[in-house]
Amino acid sequence: MKENNKILQLIYVAWRERWSDSQWGINIKKVLPRGVSGDVYNLADCLMQQALIGSTANPLVLNYLKHSLCAHLVSHGAVLRCIAKYDKLERVYCITSLLEFLVGIVDGVTCRIKSEEAVLPGAVVQLVYWLLQIFARTVQHYELYGEISAEQSYMLDQTCAVIDRISQHQFMLSMLYVGCHEEFECHGKIRDKYATIKGSLTNSNFTLSSPGVEQQLQQFAYIDVTHLDLQPLNVLPAEKISYCVQPLLAVEVLLIPCKETSYYVAELQMLQRLKRYTNTRLFYEIIRAGFLTLSNVADTSPDTMWGAFMFFKMPHIIKQLHALQRVPGEQPPPADYIPELVEALELLIQDNLLLDYMDTKCSCNMIEFLLNDWTKQQLVNDVHVKKFASQREASSLLLKKCDNGQQTPSNIIFIKRAEVPLSGVLKTLCTNKVQDMVNVLCQVPVGNSFELILSVATVDGRLKTFVSRLIQCNENSKPVPAELGKLNGTRSTLFDVSFLMLTSIVQTYGSDVVLSDRGDSFFEKWVRECMVERNKLKNPRQILALCDDSMVDELLLSLSKPEAAQLKPCTLSWQETCLNLPGVLHHVLIAWEQETLSSADVKSILDNIKRRLFSFSVCATSFLCAYMYSVRETELLKPLNMIQQFLAPLTSEELSSQEYAKERLALSYPIIRKMQHDVHPAPSTKSRLISHSPLIEQFREVWKTVAEAGHLPVRAAQTLESLLLAGGAAWLATQLVEQLLTCKYIRDMSKAMDIVFAVMHLDIEKSTEALLQYVVPPLMLRRQGEDINEPQSLVLARLCVYCVISCLETRSAAASSSLKKRSRSHDEEEQASNVAKVRKVIGDGSENSNDFTDNAAAGLAGGPRLASPSSTEVRATPLSLKEPLQSSIQHIFGVFVQFVSGDELSPKAVFVYQFISLLVECGGERVAPVLRLLPANLVQQLLKVLPTEDIRVGLISRLYDLRVPGGRQAAVSDLCLWRNMQMARHSIHL
């Protein structure tokens, strides 16, 4: 209080003696303790009270206040807060003086010390409310009396001038935005006062001298981060076609084709946000991606899968995308078609080359064929079908004439027809009629019907239903003790065909995808304990431990006796035979090695196994493959010969002796070949990976194919996945980035980046971890200034940000446990190279535990992949990051701190700015968990290093969570540093 009294006395003396500003500055510093701000002693309050004692303001005291402000004796926050506290709004002359004073100081508002930073945001909010009070009072006066005085009019003009200065001042707007998160009550009053002003202006028809002030008041009332400047970096070059949608869909359909629709919708929505596509453009790219992929696959499994995807999955994706992006309150769209889809088809119909090729491949008007199905789902109507079909009619007729009927129909034509047989099969499997089930299931393997039905079930979301009913059918086919004759043979056929179908499905998709972890059926137990899957090795000793010695002896005796060829009944059930065959084969192998059994005896035993049930051949092959994993390469010949015996053709008499033997044999052969190929691929196999050339050469070969095609063929996607498994995520990410940096033109770099981003979705978590931890940091350290400069630096930063956002938006692990990354056998040749590597790791003996082999397989697989939850969920950003993303982000941010620790500008510092800016620009609120990991001093150090004005208040305000005090404090600190550096640079320029 002693200093306060001295300050008041000094003000009286200064006013009485009419001191100049400099005299006031000299004498007030004698009163204030050295190094102490006048805010501690309420210097601004004292001066303001003395300046506004009368009906008019004292200009001399106001000058003292302005001088104190310029001399940093008081803070801008304290002065603004004092002005906002003045509530005698009826004193027009005092208010006008304060407004004139504000016009002179608004442009220089800043903070100099930490203590001032806590005051300024709230002071700006209170000041804005004070200005709205003056504005509202004046407008209401005009509403009541129909006129205002000249003094009031001048006061209103000055109010508008201050409002205009603040609205043009980005730093003041940023302080207002931060302050509104702190002063909730005052911010609510601002909105209420704005509503009052708006109503008064409407009722009174008052004409403002500043036409834009009403919009500026609305900006204050509803201040948002979008009102703050942000230097855009995600400026994408104009592209006629996208190079990202097709590769991304190719990878996702390749990995787990049975993903639910919501997964694809979330993935495409993420891509739409990143690339800023309209619905029309997105729909066009989706349909074009389907045609483009179908155009370069043969009539094999990928062909049927992609055809099924286009017919059964794509319509649901488009409908969900359309429904999710409808704006509430807008006019409802037509019921029988989607306007954006029709516009997308207008774009697609112009791609004559692609459509001509598809018409030739499928021997039909593909557009008409596709749209006829889509009319039933109300995506388009009959008018559109006729319109687009007529536009393609002339080309289709010309292509048919050139073809002369020599082209065989594609599988794509038959895919739609497979929906009815699938429904029939599922319906029949619900019955208890054994003969009906046998008849239906044994008709499925004819031709490629099983493949077609499986593709439809996969993309239509009925794969698990199909599998569960097959398992139930397999369980119900257990032999009945009193049942003999034909009925018992029918049951054995039902067991055999259901077992073979289930094994084929597990080989195709992986047990993690199609089977439950705790299933207690015989087949599920057999898969878990005995079946050899790719990247899921089994220890042969543990398989043998499941065998019962007495059953093995009985089975061995039955198979080795000559009368076994006449299918002499055995007391063992089919399930017991499957579990005990490994024991029989182990005894046979040992006896053969010791020459106790001749080759003819072994052949006889194996033939007897195959003649009983074809599923027994599969069980035997699975054990032999597990056995081959654990022995030396010199010991592979005998088990290989045994497997080859199971692949030997049967005579016509043997085929006719069993019901549907030909169909079941056709199912068993591919299963046995796949199991054998995973362990010991044939030397004559033509593959990019089974070769003596290094992985890098194989990668360059496939990348050359991708670059020339301009999209990602299915074959190339399969090869890249095999390279990922063989070389690891870090190696593949390094090679992809190297290819990206070799591009010289922005257009080529953007194209390559889109494809690289899609390829990384082969395992987006591992790829993102590798990119942030093992690829980018050493790359920036070693090669900055060479090829890591503009625009390569920006494209690399964009790739990193895209991967982080995609990885961030994946589903939670609990929701995704239902669908893990499948272990496919779609391309046997390209996935066999890992087998030899695993065998070398395991060693020569069979003492290795199952845990070890499971760990080795999991390491090759790169861990499980997050996948789809229920279709009712939408992809949401988690509140916190999970591993490995969190540790990767922390690592790269730690590297960034080192990059900007110096005092000079470098490409490394520019990359840090680009990464952070793109992260904010592309991710928005979704990257909040990532931004929480920003080191405390990173932004401030970056502000000191970058001499340009690229960093703006919009970027800084988006980096922090303003709902918490710590976030607001960090934001204000960075904003004030930015402001002071901007002012310093401006003064240098002056």
Side-chain angles (χ1 to χ4, degrees), residues 159 374 446 661:
T159 305
W374 284 8
V446 176

Side-chain angles (χ1 to χ4, degrees), residues 922-936:
C922 300
E925 295 181 358
R926 294 171 178 266
V927 296
V930 178
L931 296 176
R932 291 193 195 105
L933 301 177
L934 274 175

Side-chain angles (χ1 to χ4, degrees), residues 266-500:
E267 197 94 277
L268 291 166
Q269 278 187 316
M270 174 202 70
L271 196 61
Q272 186 178 22
R273 285 192 301 270
L274 293 176
K275 307 289 282 185
R276 303 194 192 99
Y277 289 153
T278 62
N279 269 4
T280 298
R281 176 66 186 277
L282 184 62
F283 294 162
Y284 162 72
E285 294 294 349
I286 293 171
I287 303 169
R288 180 179 173 275
F291 280 143
L292 200 59
T293 308
L294 280 176
S295 69
N296 59 66
V297 292
D299 282 345
T300 55
S301 178
D303 193 348
T304 57
M305 193 65 69
W306 261 97
F309 179 83
M310 283 204 69
F311 280 110
F312 298 103
K313 186 70 75 177
M314 193 177 290
H316 295 297
I317 292 173
I318 292 174
K319 289 182 80 170
Q320 278 198 27
L321 284 169
H322 175 69
L324 287 172
Q325 296 183 9
R326 275 192 59 199
V327 178
E330 72 175 2
Q331 185 177 358
D336 60 341
Y337 72 97
I338 298 177
E340 295 96 333
L341 178 59
V342 176
E343 294 170 3
L345 290 169
E346 295 278 6
L347 297 174
L348 182 68
I349 209 74
Q350 300 173 20
D351 197 343
N352 293 317
L353 189 61
L354 177 61
L355 295 179
D356 287 350
Y357 186 85
M358 287 305 301
D359 288 354
T360 305
K361 181 182 178 70
C362 302
S363 303
C364 69
N365 186 334
M366 194 61 189
I367 285 288
E368 184 179 11
F369 186 72
L370 183 68
L371 296 188
N372 277 330
D373 180 64
W374 284 8
T375 54
K376 302 170 188 175
Q377 305 182 56
Q378 296 183 330
L379 297 176
V380 293
N381 58 31
D382 293 332
V383 176
H384 301 127
V385 177
K386 292 177 182 177
K387 174 186 174 183
F388 294 123
S390 63
Q391 290 179 336
R392 290 291 307 161
E393 186 176 4
S395 299
S396 296
L397 290 174
L398 182 61
L399 291 169
K400 284 182 180 180
K401 289 180 181 179
C402 296
D403 183 40
N404 293 326
Q406 296 176 1
Q407 179 77 24
T408 56
S410 170
N411 276 341
I412 300 170
I413 305 300
F414 301 105
I415 289 170
K416 187 61 184 174
R417 302 175 191 173
E419 185 179 17
V420 176
L422 172 62
S423 302
V425 170
L426 293 176
K427 185 177 180 181
T428 305
L429 291 178
C430 291
T431 68
N432 292 322
K433 298 177 181 179
V434 176
Q435 188 62 52
D436 290 349
M437 288 190 284
V438 168
N439 292 338
V440 169
L441 289 180
C442 288
Q443 290 299 321
V444 170
V446 176
N448 59 353
S449 299
F450 182 53
E451 193 174 81
L452 291 173
I453 288 175
L454 202 56
S455 297
V456 173
T458 300
V459 299
D460 204 22
R462 291 188 281 179
L463 179 63
K464 285 200 169 183
T465 303
F466 187 33
V467 169
S468 63
R469 292 187 183 176
L470 279 175
I471 290 175
Q472 189 61 41
C473 174
N474 186 263
E475 286 291 295
N476 294 338
S477 64
K478 291 180 180 179
V480 178
E483 196 174 63
L484 298 172
K486 182 179 179 183
L487 191 54
N488 183 63
T490 304
R491 284 189 183 276
S492 69
T493 303
L494 182 59
F495 172 85
D496 201 30
V497 70
S498 59
F499 187 95
L500 292 171

Side-chain angles (χ1 to χ4, degrees), residues 30 103 133 155 214 254 273 303 307 334 342 366 387 413 417 423 437 489 597 672 690 790 802 810 834 870 916:
K30 296 177 181 178
V103 170
Q133 285 180 297
M155 180 182 68
E214 187 175 355
L254 172 75
R273 285 192 301 270
D303 193 348
V342 176
M366 194 61 189
K387 174 186 174 183
I413 305 300
R417 302 175 191 173
S423 302
M437 288 190 284
L597 284 177
I672 294 172
I690 305 172
E790 293 293 344
Y802 280 15
T810 51
N834 298 316
S870 65
I916 295 175

Side-chain angles (χ1 to χ4, degrees), residues 624 837 888 954:
L624 291 172
K837 296 182 180 181
S888 302

Side-chain angles (χ1 to χ4, degrees), residues 157-196:
D157 290 343
Q158 291 300 307
T159 305
C160 292
V162 177
I163 290 172
D164 182 65
R165 290 288 183 94
I166 295 176
S167 67
Q168 301 298 326
H169 200 297
Q170 281 292 305
F171 177 72
M172 290 290 284
L173 285 178
S174 66
M175 289 295 108
L176 176 62
Y177 177 66
V178 175
C180 286
H181 288 80
E182 183 177 339
E183 300 282 346
F184 291 111
E185 184 178 353
C186 191
H187 186 216
K189 291 180 181 179
I190 290 175
R191 291 189 173 184
D192 295 339
K193 192 62 68 176
Y194 168 71
T196 303

